[in-house]
Amino acid sequence: MDRSALECFVALAEELHFHRAAQRCHISQSAMSQQIRRLERLIAVQLAHRTKRTVSLTRAGEAFLVEARKTLRQMDVAAERALRTSRGEIGQLTVGVTAPALYIAFPEVAAGFRARLPSAGLVVRELTTAQQERALLIGDIDVGVLHPPVTDHGLATEEIAQVPYQLALPTGHRLAEQDTVSLADLEGEQVVIFPRQIAPQIYDTVLLMCREAGFSLKIAMEAYPAQSIIALVASGVGLAFIASATQRLARAGVLYRPITGPCPAMRIAVAHHRDGIAPAARAFLDAAREAGTKMR
């Protein structure tokens, strides 16, 4: 039982005339008669009464008509769903995101992705850059939002933003009187910093730039996410590097100052497997590029 046979039967049931039904299906009248007879043999039931002048459905034919219409509609739905899935318009995209990127770039990227593919699902997993590399290589995630560089040549990465750090400091701190600070101003200060395993490249860059400024950074504590870091600043544990105004949470007892001169920046990139990229993942990359352009 194929689609053409069902379409021929529905046409005959609605036209109750072999010639008109055949024209509607773009086949000859004899081919139409063969289709109906083949269908009746297949299900071993007479579907229509035929005379030289009239056609009418049997009771079995009337019952079959209801289900035939449902089947044709379902076939259309199945075909449309398959087509939209192949285009990435529906289905599910699994994305890895680092903890810092969840607050800085990802909300804008996710909004752009939803605008492009509103019916596609988005599953978000918080993973470090190293964890995302492994997940991308084995197919656990489709796209990653991470901090370059990545070490595996099987992955393609594209940087979308560089977000300079600012300094969070307690109210009443000596540096709060300044409109801006430099890295050299941090000599001797205790600093709260994110763990190295979250973004080793950024962590190492911060420490290196402090050494280039003439001192070794004193790390009071490692913490994340940004809310926890800012809470520790408010409690007087130390100063902290906060990436962009996006992480500048309003909290009593905390001030923010831009860093002048050499300043570390959080690099954010999107990554995927080099072997190929699905349409939904491509839409995500397009959204990431657009979000990155607005952040510059």
Side-chain angles (χ1 to χ4, degrees), residues 84-107:
R84 294 184 65 194
T85 300
S86 72
R87 292 173 177 168
E89 295 173 3
I90 57 176
Q92 184 170 284
L93 187 73
T94 303
V95 180
V97 188
T98 65
L102 274 172
Y103 295 94
I104 295 175
F106 182 72

mmCIF file of all heavy atoms in Angstrom, residues 84-107:
data_model
loop_
_atom_site.group_PDB
_atom_site.id
_atom_site.type_symbol
_atom_site.label_atom_id
_atom_site.label_comp_id
_atom_site.label_asym_id
_atom_site.label_seq_id
_atom_site.Cartn_x
_atom_site.Cartn_y
_atom_site.Cartn_z
ATOM 1 N N ARG A 84 12.619 19.533 7.930
ATOM 2 C CA ARG A 84 12.996 20.593 8.864
ATOM 3 C C ARG A 84 14.134 20.154 9.777
ATOM 4 O O ARG A 84 14.976 20.970 10.151
ATOM 5 C CB ARG A 84 11.774 21.019 9.684
ATOM 6 C CG ARG A 84 10.685 21.693 8.868
ATOM 7 C CD ARG A 84 9.556 22.168 9.751
ATOM 8 N NE ARG A 84 10.019 23.205 10.653
ATOM 9 C CZ ARG A 84 9.335 23.621 11.724
ATOM 10 N NH1 ARG A 84 8.182 23.045 12.025
ATOM 11 N NH2 ARG A 84 9.811 24.584 12.499
ATOM 12 N N THR A 85 14.154 18.876 10.136
ATOM 13 C CA THR A 85 15.256 18.374 10.948
ATOM 14 C C THR A 85 16.569 18.428 10.177
ATOM 15 O O THR A 85 17.614 18.804 10.711
ATOM 16 C CB THR A 85 14.972 16.933 11.406
ATOM 17 O OG1 THR A 85 13.774 16.912 12.192
ATOM 18 C CG2 THR A 85 16.128 16.390 12.237
ATOM 19 N N SER A 86 16.516 18.048 8.887
ATOM 20 C CA SER A 86 17.734 18.090 8.065
ATOM 21 C C SER A 86 18.251 19.510 7.914
ATOM 22 O O SER A 86 19.449 19.736 7.769
ATOM 23 C CB SER A 86 17.470 17.468 6.689
ATOM 24 O OG SER A 86 16.665 18.314 5.890
ATOM 25 N N ARG A 87 17.343 20.479 7.960
ATOM 26 C CA ARG A 87 17.746 21.889 7.870
ATOM 27 C C ARG A 87 18.171 22.443 9.220
ATOM 28 O O ARG A 87 18.652 23.573 9.308
ATOM 29 C CB ARG A 87 16.578 22.729 7.344
ATOM 30 C CG ARG A 87 16.194 22.453 5.897
ATOM 31 C CD ARG A 87 14.928 23.209 5.566
ATOM 32 N NE ARG A 87 14.542 23.055 4.164
ATOM 33 C CZ ARG A 87 13.355 23.415 3.673
ATOM 34 N NH1 ARG A 87 12.439 23.929 4.478
ATOM 35 N NH2 ARG A 87 13.081 23.246 2.397
ATOM 36 N N GLY A 88 17.963 21.668 10.278
ATOM 37 C CA GLY A 88 18.291 22.141 11.619
ATOM 38 C C GLY A 88 17.218 23.007 12.231
ATOM 39 O O GLY A 88 17.426 23.620 13.276
ATOM 40 N N GLU A 89 16.026 23.067 11.606
ATOM 41 C CA GLU A 89 14.980 23.951 12.100
ATOM 42 C C GLU A 89 14.313 23.389 13.348
ATOM 43 O O GLU A 89 13.733 24.133 14.148
ATOM 44 C CB GLU A 89 13.938 24.185 11.010
ATOM 45 C CG GLU A 89 14.503 24.924 9.801
ATOM 46 C CD GLU A 89 13.511 24.995 8.657
ATOM 47 O OE1 GLU A 89 12.370 24.518 8.822
ATOM 48 O OE2 GLU A 89 13.873 25.529 7.588
ATOM 49 N N ILE A 90 14.327 22.075 13.514
ATOM 50 C CA ILE A 90 13.811 21.437 14.721
ATOM 51 C C ILE A 90 14.834 20.408 15.176
ATOM 52 O O ILE A 90 15.791 20.126 14.464
ATOM 53 C CB ILE A 90 12.429 20.784 14.501
ATOM 54 C CG1 ILE A 90 12.490 19.756 13.364
ATOM 55 C CG2 ILE A 90 11.378 21.825 14.222
ATOM 56 C CD1 ILE A 90 11.189 19.016 13.156
ATOM 57 N N GLY A 91 14.614 19.850 16.318
ATOM 58 C CA GLY A 91 15.586 18.921 16.869
ATOM 59 C C GLY A 91 16.249 19.536 18.079
ATOM 60 O O GLY A 91 15.698 20.445 18.716
ATOM 61 N N GLN A 92 17.417 19.079 18.417
ATOM 62 C CA GLN A 92 18.068 19.487 19.651
ATOM 63 C C GLN A 92 19.556 19.702 19.427
ATOM 64 O O GLN A 92 20.215 18.874 18.806
ATOM 65 C CB GLN A 92 17.841 18.407 20.706
ATOM 66 C CG GLN A 92 18.376 18.731 22.081
ATOM 67 C CD GLN A 92 17.888 17.735 23.098
ATOM 68 O OE1 GLN A 92 16.735 17.775 23.526
ATOM 69 N NE2 GLN A 92 18.752 16.814 23.479
ATOM 70 N N LEU A 93 20.059 20.826 19.923
ATOM 71 C CA LEU A 93 21.477 21.153 19.840
ATOM 72 C C LEU A 93 22.041 21.167 21.254
ATOM 73 O O LEU A 93 21.507 21.842 22.137
ATOM 74 C CB LEU A 93 21.679 22.517 19.178
ATOM 75 C CG LEU A 93 23.119 22.917 18.879
ATOM 76 C CD1 LEU A 93 23.660 22.101 17.711
ATOM 77 C CD2 LEU A 93 23.207 24.407 18.561
ATOM 78 N N THR A 94 23.116 20.415 21.473
ATOM 79 C CA THR A 94 23.749 20.368 22.786
ATOM 80 C C THR A 94 25.008 21.228 22.756
ATOM 81 O O THR A 94 25.885 21.029 21.918
ATOM 82 C CB THR A 94 24.113 18.921 23.170
ATOM 83 O OG1 THR A 94 22.921 18.120 23.135
ATOM 84 C CG2 THR A 94 24.699 18.869 24.570
ATOM 85 N N VAL A 95 25.074 22.181 23.671
ATOM 86 C CA VAL A 95 26.139 23.178 23.677
ATOM 87 C C VAL A 95 26.866 23.136 25.010
ATOM 88 O O VAL A 95 26.240 23.117 26.078
ATOM 89 C CB VAL A 95 25.574 24.593 23.445
ATOM 90 C CG1 VAL A 95 26.692 25.628 23.447
ATOM 91 C CG2 VAL A 95 24.804 24.649 22.132
ATOM 92 N N GLY A 96 28.197 23.117 24.959
ATOM 93 C CA GLY A 96 29.003 23.263 26.155
ATOM 94 C C GLY A 96 29.369 24.727 26.347
ATOM 95 O O GLY A 96 29.679 25.426 25.377
ATOM 96 N N VAL A 97 29.330 25.204 27.582
ATOM 97 C CA VAL A 97 29.631 26.612 27.876
ATOM 98 C C VAL A 97 30.446 26.676 29.163
ATOM 99 O O VAL A 97 30.104 26.003 30.146
ATOM 100 C CB VAL A 97 28.336 27.447 28.043
ATOM 101 C CG1 VAL A 97 28.678 28.933 28.154
ATOM 102 C CG2 VAL A 97 27.375 27.224 26.892
ATOM 103 N N THR A 98 31.505 27.477 29.180
ATOM 104 C CA THR A 98 32.256 27.668 30.415
ATOM 105 C C THR A 98 31.449 28.532 31.378
ATOM 106 O O THR A 98 30.540 29.269 30.973
ATOM 107 C CB THR A 98 33.606 28.345 30.154
ATOM 108 O OG1 THR A 98 33.377 29.675 29.674
ATOM 109 C CG2 THR A 98 34.440 27.564 29.154
ATOM 110 N N ALA A 99 31.787 28.450 32.666
ATOM 111 C CA ALA A 99 31.067 29.231 33.671
ATOM 112 C C ALA A 99 31.132 30.735 33.394
ATOM 113 O O ALA A 99 30.096 31.419 33.446
ATOM 114 C CB ALA A 99 31.606 28.915 35.067
ATOM 115 N N PRO A 100 32.309 31.309 33.062
ATOM 116 C CA PRO A 100 32.324 32.749 32.760
ATOM 117 C C PRO A 100 31.492 33.108 31.529
ATOM 118 O O PRO A 100 30.788 34.118 31.516
ATOM 119 C CB PRO A 100 33.812 33.048 32.525
ATOM 120 C CG PRO A 100 34.536 31.964 33.243
ATOM 121 C CD PRO A 100 33.679 30.746 33.083
ATOM 122 N N ALA A 101 31.566 32.289 30.485
ATOM 123 C CA ALA A 101 30.840 32.598 29.250
ATOM 124 C C ALA A 101 29.330 32.518 29.434
ATOM 125 O O ALA A 101 28.578 33.152 28.691
ATOM 126 C CB ALA A 101 31.279 31.659 28.130
ATOM 127 N N LEU A 102 28.868 31.746 30.420
ATOM 128 C CA LEU A 102 27.436 31.677 30.692
ATOM 129 C C LEU A 102 26.851 33.051 30.990
ATOM 130 O O LEU A 102 25.686 33.313 30.703
ATOM 131 C CB LEU A 102 27.166 30.743 31.872
ATOM 132 C CG LEU A 102 27.032 29.250 31.570
ATOM 133 C CD1 LEU A 102 26.973 28.455 32.869
ATOM 134 C CD2 LEU A 102 25.798 28.972 30.734
ATOM 135 N N TYR A 103 27.663 33.935 31.558
ATOM 136 C CA TYR A 103 27.172 35.249 31.958
ATOM 137 C C TYR A 103 27.544 36.348 30.972
ATOM 138 O O TYR A 103 26.890 37.387 30.935
ATOM 139 C CB TYR A 103 27.723 35.612 33.352
ATOM 140 C CG TYR A 103 27.223 34.697 34.435
ATOM 141 C CD1 TYR A 103 27.959 33.583 34.817
ATOM 142 C CD2 TYR A 103 26.009 34.936 35.066
ATOM 143 C CE1 TYR A 103 27.493 32.730 35.809
ATOM 144 C CE2 TYR A 103 25.539 34.083 36.058
ATOM 145 C CZ TYR A 103 26.285 32.983 36.422
ATOM 146 O OH TYR A 103 25.819 32.140 37.395
ATOM 147 N N ILE A 104 28.604 36.122 30.190
ATOM 148 C CA ILE A 104 29.123 37.214 29.370
ATOM 149 C C ILE A 104 28.622 37.154 27.934
ATOM 150 O O ILE A 104 28.054 38.109 27.421
ATOM 151 C CB ILE A 104 30.664 37.220 29.402
ATOM 152 C CG1 ILE A 104 31.130 37.517 30.818
ATOM 153 C CG2 ILE A 104 31.233 38.251 28.439
ATOM 154 C CD1 ILE A 104 32.612 37.445 31.008
ATOM 155 N N ALA A 105 28.793 36.038 27.257
ATOM 156 C CA ALA A 105 28.463 35.969 25.835
ATOM 157 C C ALA A 105 27.262 35.087 25.537
ATOM 158 O O ALA A 105 26.489 35.376 24.629
ATOM 159 C CB ALA A 105 29.677 35.450 25.051
ATOM 160 N N PHE A 106 27.114 34.022 26.297
ATOM 161 C CA PHE A 106 26.118 33.012 25.928
ATOM 162 C C PHE A 106 24.677 33.521 25.880
ATOM 163 O O PHE A 106 23.925 33.141 24.975
ATOM 164 C CB PHE A 106 26.215 31.806 26.859
ATOM 165 C CG PHE A 106 25.250 30.716 26.494
ATOM 166 C CD1 PHE A 106 25.442 29.944 25.362
ATOM 167 C CD2 PHE A 106 24.117 30.496 27.259
ATOM 168 C CE1 PHE A 106 24.539 28.958 25.004
ATOM 169 C CE2 PHE A 106 23.214 29.515 26.917
ATOM 170 C CZ PHE A 106 23.424 28.748 25.786
ATOM 171 N N PRO A 107 24.214 34.372 26.817
ATOM 172 C CA PRO A 107 22.819 34.823 26.736
ATOM 173 C C PRO A 107 22.476 35.477 25.396
ATOM 174 O O PRO A 107 21.411 35.224 24.820
ATOM 175 C CB PRO A 107 22.697 35.815 27.888
ATOM 176 C CG PRO A 107 23.722 35.346 28.880
ATOM 177 C CD PRO A 107 24.874 34.873 28.040
#
